[in-house]
Amino acid sequence: MRMCVGFDLDMTLIDPRPGMIAAMDQLAAETGLALDGEYFAANLGPPLDHVLRGFEAPEERIPELVARFREIYPEVVVPRTVALPGAAEALEAVRDNGGTTLVVTGKYGPNAALHVKALDLAVDTLVGDLWATGKAAALTEHGASVYVGDHVGDMLGARAADAIAVGVLTGPCSREELLEAGADVVLDSLAGFPQWLASDPGVRARVR
């Protein structure tokens, strides 16, 4: 079988923080709720409904808030988003090694796809709306032997799928937090991923 490598999206492959701040602040202005865009962008990872509950948004308003954020997203977030250093090279390294690329993200799938298209990322398959151990379903279905992410939730997902868990320090979590959550290796950024992929013998041993 061909090697499949999975990647998280926010703060692993892309940096959407400026747009996330603007979108959440716009939602706050429209609703009058105390939604903190700066805090939200500094702690990306959990699904939007979890974030809104953390801001103590009324439970009965969560569905409408999620829907409105998703409406705002394409025009406010996507144009402000950039690929993180090493992202294109990491995806290409998988291709160069005969593998396929899979993005598994907690983000709403259609909006995640807009980022992939806008930044011309070499992604073969994208699955959205999965978080933490929930990501294991997609990783297992697509036979991912490696999963790369910036959040402890990503490490939990990789472990649940029996995939090699690769952490990157471009998100909100420290090296210690990622290791404690089960990371097999932690890289400073995706810039170090191609060399790791080429040199780690365990990757091919885990191909499914």
Side-chain angles (χ1 to χ4, degrees):
M1 292 184 63
R2 297 178 69 187
M3 172 178 62
C4 176
V5 177
F7 295 85
D8 177 48
L9 190 62
D10 286 354
M11 300 314 300
T12 298
L13 290 170
I14 66 172
D15 183 353
R17 289 175 296 181
M20 291 294 208
I21 293 169
M24 188 61 76
D25 286 349
Q26 179 175 329
L27 190 64
E30 290 179 3
T31 63
L33 297 172
L35 309 176
D36 187 338
E38 291 278 357
Y39 180 86
F40 171 48
N43 295 277
L44 294 175
L48 183 59
D49 59 336
H50 293 209
V51 172
L52 292 168
R53 291 185 180 96
F55 288 142
E56 298 184 355
E59 184 65 29
E60 66 274 11
R61 298 194 63 183
I62 297 294
E64 72 174 82
L65 294 171
V66 169
R68 178 57 183 149
F69 187 89
R70 289 175 175 176
E71 289 176 354
I72 293 168
Y73 198 100
E75 292 187 3
V76 176
V77 183
V78 175
R80 292 175 166 88
T81 298
V82 298
L84 282 165
E89 293 81 1
L91 293 168
E92 191 61 34
V94 177
R95 296 281 186 88
D96 289 346
N97 281 273
T100 61
T101 56
L102 166 70
V103 166
V104 183
T105 174
K107 189 184 297 298
Y108 178 53
N111 285 340
L114 292 177
H115 286 299
V116 170
K117 181 178 180 180
L119 296 172
D120 195 24
L121 298 175
V123 173
D124 294 308
T125 306
L126 185 150
V127 181
D129 300 291
L130 294 177
W131 164 241
T133 56
K135 294 188 174 189
L139 294 172
T140 301
E141 177 184 351
H142 294 280
S145 54
V146 179
Y147 187 59
V148 187
D150 66 285
H151 199 281
V152 296
D154 299 323
M155 303 303 99
L156 296 175
R159 302 302 293 186
D162 194 29
I164 296 172
V166 179
V168 287
L169 296 176
T170 42
C173 298
S174 68
R175 184 181 303 274
E176 292 71 21
E177 288 171 325
L178 294 171
L179 289 170
E180 185 176 347
D184 294 292
V185 61
V186 178
L187 307 173
D188 290 339
S189 73
L190 285 179
F193 181 80
Q195 181 178 356
W196 173 82
L197 183 66
S199 63
D200 193 312
V203 175
R204 284 159 187 78
R206 297 281 282 276
V207 172
R208 303 175 187 184

PDB file of all heavy atoms in Angstrom, residues 195-208:
ATOM      1  N   GLN A 195      13.049  16.202   6.151  1.00  0.00           N
ATOM      2  CA  GLN A 195      14.225  15.453   6.618  1.00  0.00           C
ATOM      3  C   GLN A 195      13.806  14.339   7.566  1.00  0.00           C
ATOM      4  O   GLN A 195      14.321  13.213   7.479  1.00  0.00           O
ATOM      5  CB  GLN A 195      15.209  16.386   7.305  1.00  0.00           C
ATOM      6  CG  GLN A 195      16.462  15.666   7.799  1.00  0.00           C
ATOM      7  CD  GLN A 195      17.450  16.609   8.448  1.00  0.00           C
ATOM      8  OE1 GLN A 195      17.248  17.825   8.472  1.00  0.00           O
ATOM      9  NE2 GLN A 195      18.531  16.059   8.988  1.00  0.00           N
ATOM     10  N   TRP A 196      12.860  14.637   8.463  1.00  0.00           N
ATOM     11  CA  TRP A 196      12.386  13.601   9.380  1.00  0.00           C
ATOM     12  C   TRP A 196      11.748  12.452   8.603  1.00  0.00           C
ATOM     13  O   TRP A 196      12.021  11.272   8.867  1.00  0.00           O
ATOM     14  CB  TRP A 196      11.378  14.184  10.367  1.00  0.00           C
ATOM     15  CG  TRP A 196      10.748  13.099  11.196  1.00  0.00           C
ATOM     16  CD1 TRP A 196      11.267  12.506  12.316  1.00  0.00           C
ATOM     17  CD2 TRP A 196       9.518  12.414  10.928  1.00  0.00           C
ATOM     18  NE1 TRP A 196      10.429  11.509  12.759  1.00  0.00           N
ATOM     19  CE2 TRP A 196       9.353  11.439  11.938  1.00  0.00           C
ATOM     20  CE3 TRP A 196       8.537  12.545   9.945  1.00  0.00           C
ATOM     21  CZ2 TRP A 196       8.253  10.595  11.972  1.00  0.00           C
ATOM     22  CZ3 TRP A 196       7.434  11.713   9.979  1.00  0.00           C
ATOM     23  CH2 TRP A 196       7.299  10.742  10.994  1.00  0.00           C
ATOM     24  N   LEU A 197      10.912  12.768   7.614  1.00  0.00           N
ATOM     25  CA  LEU A 197      10.221  11.738   6.850  1.00  0.00           C
ATOM     26  C   LEU A 197      11.215  10.838   6.126  1.00  0.00           C
ATOM     27  O   LEU A 197      11.024   9.614   6.061  1.00  0.00           O
ATOM     28  CB  LEU A 197       9.278  12.387   5.837  1.00  0.00           C
ATOM     29  CG  LEU A 197       8.418  11.438   5.003  1.00  0.00           C
ATOM     30  CD1 LEU A 197       7.418  10.701   5.880  1.00  0.00           C
ATOM     31  CD2 LEU A 197       7.695  12.211   3.904  1.00  0.00           C
ATOM     32  N   ALA A 198      12.249  11.450   5.593  1.00  0.00           N
ATOM     33  CA  ALA A 198      13.232  10.677   4.834  1.00  0.00           C
ATOM     34  C   ALA A 198      14.105   9.802   5.717  1.00  0.00           C
ATOM     35  O   ALA A 198      14.627   8.779   5.272  1.00  0.00           O
ATOM     36  CB  ALA A 198      14.112  11.627   4.019  1.00  0.00           C
ATOM     37  N   SER A 199      14.262  10.200   6.980  1.00  0.00           N
ATOM     38  CA  SER A 199      15.244   9.525   7.829  1.00  0.00           C
ATOM     39  C   SER A 199      14.648   8.577   8.853  1.00  0.00           C
ATOM     40  O   SER A 199      15.369   7.749   9.417  1.00  0.00           O
ATOM     41  CB  SER A 199      16.101  10.568   8.567  1.00  0.00           C
ATOM     42  OG  SER A 199      15.291  11.348   9.434  1.00  0.00           O
ATOM     43  N   ASP A 200      13.353   8.664   9.129  1.00  0.00           N
ATOM     44  CA  ASP A 200      12.760   7.829  10.174  1.00  0.00           C
ATOM     45  C   ASP A 200      12.327   6.480   9.603  1.00  0.00           C
ATOM     46  O   ASP A 200      11.388   6.408   8.805  1.00  0.00           O
ATOM     47  CB  ASP A 200      11.556   8.532  10.795  1.00  0.00           C
ATOM     48  CG  ASP A 200      11.092   7.862  12.082  1.00  0.00           C
ATOM     49  OD1 ASP A 200      10.940   6.632  12.079  1.00  0.00           O
ATOM     50  OD2 ASP A 200      10.893   8.562  13.079  1.00  0.00           O
ATOM     51  N   PRO A 201      12.982   5.393   9.978  1.00  0.00           N
ATOM     52  CA  PRO A 201      12.638   4.072   9.418  1.00  0.00           C
ATOM     53  C   PRO A 201      11.281   3.567   9.879  1.00  0.00           C
ATOM     54  O   PRO A 201      10.703   2.662   9.261  1.00  0.00           O
ATOM     55  CB  PRO A 201      13.764   3.166   9.934  1.00  0.00           C
ATOM     56  CG  PRO A 201      14.217   3.821  11.201  1.00  0.00           C
ATOM     57  CD  PRO A 201      14.076   5.308  10.951  1.00  0.00           C
ATOM     58  N   GLY A 202      10.764   4.120  10.953  1.00  0.00           N
ATOM     59  CA  GLY A 202       9.485   3.649  11.473  1.00  0.00           C
ATOM     60  C   GLY A 202       8.307   4.009  10.598  1.00  0.00           C
ATOM     61  O   GLY A 202       7.254   3.388  10.682  1.00  0.00           O
ATOM     62  N   VAL A 203       8.455   5.023   9.737  1.00  0.00           N
ATOM     63  CA  VAL A 203       7.341   5.471   8.917  1.00  0.00           C
ATOM     64  C   VAL A 203       6.903   4.368   7.958  1.00  0.00           C
ATOM     65  O   VAL A 203       5.724   3.987   7.914  1.00  0.00           O
ATOM     66  CB  VAL A 203       7.710   6.740   8.129  1.00  0.00           C
ATOM     67  CG1 VAL A 203       6.589   7.114   7.191  1.00  0.00           C
ATOM     68  CG2 VAL A 203       8.014   7.883   9.100  1.00  0.00           C
ATOM     69  N   ARG A 204       7.811   3.839   7.195  1.00  0.00           N
ATOM     70  CA  ARG A 204       7.457   2.810   6.229  1.00  0.00           C
ATOM     71  C   ARG A 204       7.054   1.506   6.891  1.00  0.00           C
ATOM     72  O   ARG A 204       6.257   0.729   6.347  1.00  0.00           O
ATOM     73  CB  ARG A 204       8.583   2.624   5.224  1.00  0.00           C
ATOM     74  CG  ARG A 204       8.621   3.736   4.205  1.00  0.00           C
ATOM     75  CD  ARG A 204       9.949   3.896   3.521  1.00  0.00           C
ATOM     76  NE  ARG A 204       9.943   5.087   2.685  1.00  0.00           N
ATOM     77  CZ  ARG A 204      10.082   6.316   3.171  1.00  0.00           C
ATOM     78  NH1 ARG A 204      10.258   6.505   4.456  1.00  0.00           N
ATOM     79  NH2 ARG A 204      10.064   7.368   2.366  1.00  0.00           N
ATOM     80  N   ALA A 205       7.584   1.273   8.082  1.00  0.00           N
ATOM     81  CA  ALA A 205       7.211   0.061   8.803  1.00  0.00           C
ATOM     82  C   ALA A 205       5.738   0.095   9.218  1.00  0.00           C
ATOM     83  O   ALA A 205       5.125  -0.954   9.444  1.00  0.00           O
ATOM     84  CB  ALA A 205       8.094  -0.104  10.032  1.00  0.00           C
ATOM     85  N   ARG A 206       5.175   1.303   9.303  1.00  0.00           N
ATOM     86  CA  ARG A 206       3.784   1.439   9.744  1.00  0.00           C
ATOM     87  C   ARG A 206       2.803   1.591   8.589  1.00  0.00           C
ATOM     88  O   ARG A 206       1.604   1.787   8.820  1.00  0.00           O
ATOM     89  CB  ARG A 206       3.669   2.666  10.660  1.00  0.00           C
ATOM     90  CG  ARG A 206       4.474   2.590  11.937  1.00  0.00           C
ATOM     91  CD  ARG A 206       3.800   1.743  12.997  1.00  0.00           C
ATOM     92  NE  ARG A 206       2.730   2.487  13.640  1.00  0.00           N
ATOM     93  CZ  ARG A 206       2.927   3.346  14.655  1.00  0.00           C
ATOM     94  NH1 ARG A 206       4.140   3.570  15.125  1.00  0.00           N
ATOM     95  NH2 ARG A 206       1.908   3.975  15.204  1.00  0.00           N
ATOM     96  N   VAL A 207       3.297   1.557   7.337  1.00  0.00           N
ATOM     97  CA  VAL A 207       2.398   1.700   6.203  1.00  0.00           C
ATOM     98  C   VAL A 207       1.381   0.573   6.219  1.00  0.00           C
ATOM     99  O   VAL A 207       1.740  -0.592   6.398  1.00  0.00           O
ATOM    100  CB  VAL A 207       3.182   1.694   4.862  1.00  0.00           C
ATOM    101  CG1 VAL A 207       2.222   1.640   3.688  1.00  0.00           C
ATOM    102  CG2 VAL A 207       4.056   2.936   4.772  1.00  0.00           C
ATOM    103  N   ARG A 208       0.103   0.923   6.025  1.00  0.00           N
ATOM    104  CA  ARG A 208      -0.975  -0.062   6.175  1.00  0.00           C
ATOM    105  C   ARG A 208      -1.408  -0.616   4.830  1.00  0.00           C
ATOM    106  O   ARG A 208      -1.347   0.049   3.850  1.00  0.00           O
ATOM    107  CB  ARG A 208      -2.151   0.596   6.891  1.00  0.00           C
ATOM    108  CG  ARG A 208      -1.726   1.153   8.253  1.00  0.00           C
ATOM    109  CD  ARG A 208      -2.831   1.898   8.925  1.00  0.00           C
ATOM    110  NE  ARG A 208      -2.345   2.542  10.123  1.00  0.00           N
ATOM    111  CZ  ARG A 208      -3.097   3.203  10.975  1.00  0.00           C
ATOM    112  NH1 ARG A 208      -4.385   3.306  10.777  1.00  0.00           N
ATOM    113  NH2 ARG A 208      -2.588   3.768  12.043  1.00  0.00           N
TER     114      ARG A 208
END
